[in-house]
Amino acid sequence: MYFYYMNKKYFIAIIPPSPIINEIEDMKKKIVLLHNTKGALRSPAHITLHRPFEWKEKNEEILINQLSQFKSEKPFLIPLKNFGFFEPRVVFINVPNSKGLTELYTELKHFCQKKLKLLNEVNDLRGFHPHITIAFRDLKKPLFYELKKEFESKEYNNSFNYSGFSLLKFEKTWEVMHNFLI
């Protein structure tokens, strides 16, 4: 009997702990309720370490086992400071780039290239710009500029200790399928 195994979409990210994730999810929900957008609700609040990639679902265990071998056991603080924008569609919480975060990203990027044959931002001129999206994709330009004006004057300050990263899988929404803790 022949079975067709589909590729699924995955990505690797840092998920903030509670109560920070709850605060951010509440921000996203408020934007949805007030402005009828929902794109940002398709995934939990996160800092992307490896953009979405395809992987055969039947080989998920290989993916998890390989990622379990990645070791970055240096804890560091992840600050969250105010808001930023990618015009004309994205509103996000700034994640100031730190030595610890940059090293984690670089080490994981090289690990994924070597062990999993996955490419990340290597050919992308934007580089690594850590952030937590609160509105995007279905944001129309006029609404983007309205939200930009609103969020430019708001302050948000928080931080959390890095304790590991997560593998997310797309079903109907992005769901955490495995956590890799340090």
Side-chain angles (χ1 to χ4, degrees):
M1 181 176 245
Y2 176 76
F3 290 97
Y4 178 71
Y5 290 100
M6 292 180 45
N7 285 348
K8 289 285 192 167
K9 287 196 171 235
Y10 302 85
F11 78 95
I12 302 167
I14 297 170
I15 308 290
S18 293
I20 295 171
I21 192 168
N22 299 333
E23 287 177 7
I24 298 169
E25 291 298 326
D26 286 347
M27 277 185 227
K28 290 166 42 174
K29 288 174 186 169
K30 184 177 178 186
I31 292 169
V32 168
L33 288 173
L34 293 175
H35 303 290
N36 197 29
T37 65
K38 59 184 178 210
L41 294 181
R42 289 179 40 159
S43 62
H46 67 276
I47 302 165
T48 302
L49 293 174
H50 196 294
R51 66 183 179 190
F53 59 90
E54 288 190 1
W55 191 267
K56 287 199 182 319
E57 190 172 25
K58 71 175 184 170
N59 294 333
E60 254 178 23
E61 197 155 319
I62 294 169
L63 178 61
I64 292 169
N65 289 337
Q66 287 290 318
L67 286 171
S68 295
Q69 294 175 23
F70 176 76
K71 298 296 177 209
S72 180
E73 299 178 7
K74 302 172 223 156
F76 56 89
L77 188 68
I78 299 177
L80 307 176
K81 181 135 179 77
N82 298 328
F83 299 91
F85 314 92
F86 295 136
E87 291 195 31
R89 296 246 192 277
V90 182
V91 179
F92 58 85
I93 296 171
N94 280 316
V95 179
N97 216 336
S98 65
K99 183 180 179 192
L101 189 55
T102 301
E103 286 177 0
L104 171 67
Y105 169 78
T106 302
E107 290 169 10
L108 183 63
K109 175 179 74 171
H110 292 305
F111 179 88
C112 288
Q113 286 172 343
K114 186 176 179 181
K115 296 285 187 181
L116 300 171
K117 308 297 184 228
L118 296 175
L119 299 179
N120 197 4
E121 306 281 274
V122 176
N123 298 319
D124 189 336
L125 298 176
R126 292 176 296 179
F128 182 51
H129 189 283
H131 62 280
I132 299 176
T133 300
I134 59 170
F136 82 123
R137 195 168 295 193
D138 59 347
L139 209 54
K140 305 288 186 236
K141 281 185 185 182
L143 179 55
F144 168 81
Y145 290 106
E146 182 182 321
L147 286 174
K148 181 178 181 189
K149 186 175 180 182
E150 176 187 341
F151 280 92
E152 279 176 326
S153 61
K154 285 188 177 188
E155 288 188 14
Y156 181 78
N157 289 293
N158 216 327
S159 62
F160 63 95
N161 289 312
Y162 171 73
S163 61
F165 62 91
S166 300
L167 178 65
L168 291 90
K169 177 180 179 179
F170 188 75
E171 293 294 344
K172 292 181 181 179
T173 60
W174 288 102
E175 298 169 18
V176 175
M177 69 168 297
H178 196 85
N179 292 307
F180 302 88
L181 304 176
I182 57 173

